[in-house]
Amino acid sequence: MPAEIHPFPESRRSVYMDANATTPLLPEVFEAMAPWLGDQCGNPSSAHAHGRAARAAVEVARQQVADLLHCAAMEVVFTGGGTESDNLAIFGVVAPGAHIVTSAIEHHAVLHAVERLEQQGCAATWLPVNEGGRVNPEEVRRALRPGTRLISVMMANNETGVLQPLEAIGRIAREHGILFHVDAVQAAGKVPIDVKCIGCDLLSISGHKMHAPQGTGALFLREGLKLEPMFWGGAQELSRRAGTENVAGIVGFGKAAALARAGLFDGGVQRMARLRDDLERGILLEAENAAVNGFGMPRVPNTTSISFGGVEGAVLLAVLDRLGLSVSGGSACTAGAAEGSHVLKAMGIPQEQASASLRFSLSKLTSCEDINFAIWQVAEALGRLRTDAGPETNRGEAAAGPAL
Ligand code: PLP
């Protein structure tokens, strides 16, 4: 690439710190997939040897995902990602006229699905969260009414990483015989997941948040629970998700699930938590008026959402981008949305502070050097914003791109 169009013109190197948006494929995952992208060809529904080999590979992956979630293999339905898993869970069990209880901080894959059901005649209760970003299980209990069919609450929030009190909510769901769906897309591989301990009936995960390819995902569907499929066609996935399986993707997803599970026990996750804490400490030392959103709450080990008082988040993001640090202004799916973060708003964080917030999310590939680089570049970017222009001028520069 010619030097003049190098994406990081000011920086020796670049660091990716947006793992909650997507993660790089691990080499072991790529290796597992490679034969299925090369000359190993087979449709798992075919009866011949090639088909049987593909079926066997898919079933190994199903067991690997089941081991991550502590469920039976047949309870795993492969999908095309987290959004599809959430939609399959919600539209699959909620009939017109029913009542749904969900939270104000869900990812848009749940939020917009529930809004769609509202348009179709369902009723929804949107649970508030406290200033730390947690749902109160007692609010869940109070929201239940005759006709409540589903409770859907996420495990870890994608912007703050804050974990929800799922076991308490699961107990309430069971006491009342109400189905419980959990969006665990940002939790899988970062904290242990046991669907029985949670007491959920449905749970969504996504491959590309845990070093598997984009376009892979799974829904845990409790044995015996019937679900209306979203697609009509063949009898794949026990008629729960029609369409020829993405064999290479599923094999990669299975491998990533096995590696993620190992990471929960081999110190990998604890290392990630230490790095995240170092990053937070380093940034809070360098940045005046910075605060961690959701600080002190139980959180996944890889995420921190930091608000930087006195700067516009979009400008800081753009400066960091130029300096070679890729972080996010919030959810990747809402990047560019004008209305700001519904999650921070629900936590009662004032608009000004919310719009000055950035999300840093680490993966198992993040190194100590990456953390030092990030702290250094945040300090550098804040220094430039403070010296070069006041906040008003910064706002003006956001549209045109920062002049560095
Ligand atoms: N749920 C949560 C909490 C997410 O963070 C995301 C993606 O960021 C999704 C669902 C959607 O997953 P996918 O990108 O696999 O469709």
Side-chain angles (χ1 to χ4, degrees), residues 10 29 32 53 57 66 94 125 128 135 161 177 207 223 259 276 302 320 344-345 348 360:
E10 298 218 8
V29 171
V94 177
T125 299
V135 167
E223 189 184 355
L259 293 168
R276 190 270 314 271
N302 81 316
L320 290 173
L344 301 183
K345 190 172 166 201
F360 301 75

Side-chain angles (χ1 to χ4, degrees), residues 21-62:
T22 199
T23 51
L25 218 61
L26 289 175
E28 299 93 318
V29 171
F30 183 77
E31 249 171 59
M33 293 171 67
W36 299 100
L37 296 165
D39 44 12
Q40 182 111 39
C41 164
N43 183 326
S45 299
S46 299
H48 50 61
H50 285 81
R52 292 198 305 277
R55 165 65 50 215
V58 166
E59 295 316 319
V60 167
R62 198 184 305 281

Side-chain angles (χ1 to χ4, degrees), residues 20-21 80-84 86 107 109 154 156-158 183-186 205-209 215-216 331-333 359:
N20 286 10
T83 300
E84 188 189 321
D86 285 341
H107 186 270
M154 70 197 327
N157 182 262
N158 44 301
D183 176 341
V185 164
Q186 293 292 354
I205 61 171
S206 171
H208 75 110
K209 310 293 187 182
T216 59
S331 159
C333 309
R359 176 184 74 186

Side-chain angles (χ1 to χ4, degrees), residues 297-329:
M297 294 293 125
R299 288 182 292 160
V300 279
N302 81 316
T303 307
T304 181
S305 164
I306 300 182
S307 74
F308 295 87
V311 295
E312 186 63 39
V315 180
L316 181 56
L317 190 72
V319 177
L320 290 173
D321 186 31
R322 291 282 302 263
L323 291 171
L325 180 65
S326 294
V327 295
S328 160

Side-chain angles (χ1 to χ4, degrees), residues 69-88:
L69 304 181
H70 292 90
C71 66
M74 57 86 66
E75 294 176 310
V76 172
V77 183
F78 285 118
T79 67
T83 300
E84 188 189 321
S85 299
D86 285 341
N87 277 263
L88 180 59

